[in-house]
Amino acid sequence: MTKVHNVNLTIRNLTPHTMNYELDWFDTGGYAEGQHPVNIPANSEKTIRFCEGWTIISGCSGYVTYSMNNTFLTIAFSNPLNPASNKLNIGTDGKSVWDEMDDHSYKTFTYPFSVGGESIIAECTLTGGDVNQAVVILKPGLKRERSSDDLEKLSNYIRE
């Protein structure tokens, strides 16, 4: 049986942290044949394919959670039966990330978070249609240099 409602999730990890697979959950569907959860090393890219159920046409919806230096990051995805829209979400709140998925009008969206005090930005895109081409790019966030005002405020705070 040909699978129609699929999700190709590409994760590009441009951070210095390995993404360690922790768990997954599916409302409908699951991993495409031959696919399985994987760790994603620092500065690498992996594509994982998900598809609708094997016994009935049901669409594909679920999430996968990774840990990065004791921070848990959940990536939720959906490609339901028509006429509903494909969805994608990312966050650090477990299943609520799946509960709050959106199609984001099929425009790029970002999610800032931190790993061990380091700022990380997730830049995410998804597509409509029978195959949701979901892409999540994780990259270090901007590091803000401390200004002389910041240092003066810190110095005054310490003196108080």
Side-chain angles (χ1 to χ4, degrees):
M1 181 163 105
T2 302
K3 302 297 173 194
V4 178
H5 300 279
N6 303 305
V7 176
N8 292 337
L9 174 61
T10 299
I11 302 171
R12 188 174 304 145
N13 179 11
L14 302 178
T15 75
H17 309 283
T18 294
M19 297 176 68
N20 298 299
Y21 166 79
E22 295 292 335
L23 62 96
D24 54 46
W25 175 85
F26 297 95
D27 181 52
T28 57
Y31 290 97
E33 190 171 349
Q35 296 289 297
H36 52 83
V38 294
N39 291 344
I40 304 171
N43 298 303
S44 70
E45 177 179 305
K46 299 285 183 190
T47 298
I48 307 164
R49 291 174 182 84
F50 305 96
C51 66
E52 62 194 1
W54 292 101
T55 56
I56 59 171
I57 297 173
S58 59
C60 177
S61 184
Y63 64 81
V64 61
T65 299
Y66 291 91
S67 64
M68 300 169 68
N69 195 24
N70 296 320
T71 296
F72 291 90
L73 183 68
T74 298
I75 302 170
F77 49 86
S78 180
N79 187 339
L81 293 175
N82 294 334
S85 60
N86 295 344
K87 296 178 182 173
L88 179 68
N89 201 11
I90 187 167
T92 55
D93 298 326
K95 186 176 180 296
S96 67
V97 174
W98 181 82
D99 294 332
E100 299 167 5
M101 278 190 297
D102 191 356
D103 65 15
H104 302 275
S105 300
Y106 299 114
K107 295 183 178 170
T108 299
F109 66 97
T110 59
Y111 176 78
F113 64 103
S114 66
V115 173
E118 178 185 344
S119 174
I120 305 288
I121 301 291
E123 191 174 279
C124 310
T125 58
L126 70 152
T127 63
D130 289 342
V131 178
N132 180 352
Q133 299 286 356
V135 178
V136 174
I137 301 170
L138 303 176
K139 53 190 175 183
L142 297 176
K143 293 184 180 180
R144 188 172 78 87
E145 297 294 325
R146 290 186 187 249
S147 70
S148 58
D149 287 344
D150 291 338
L151 295 174
E152 183 178 332
K153 288 176 188 175
L154 180 61
S155 178
N156 288 339
Y157 176 78
I158 293 171
R159 281 190 292 238
E160 291 175 358

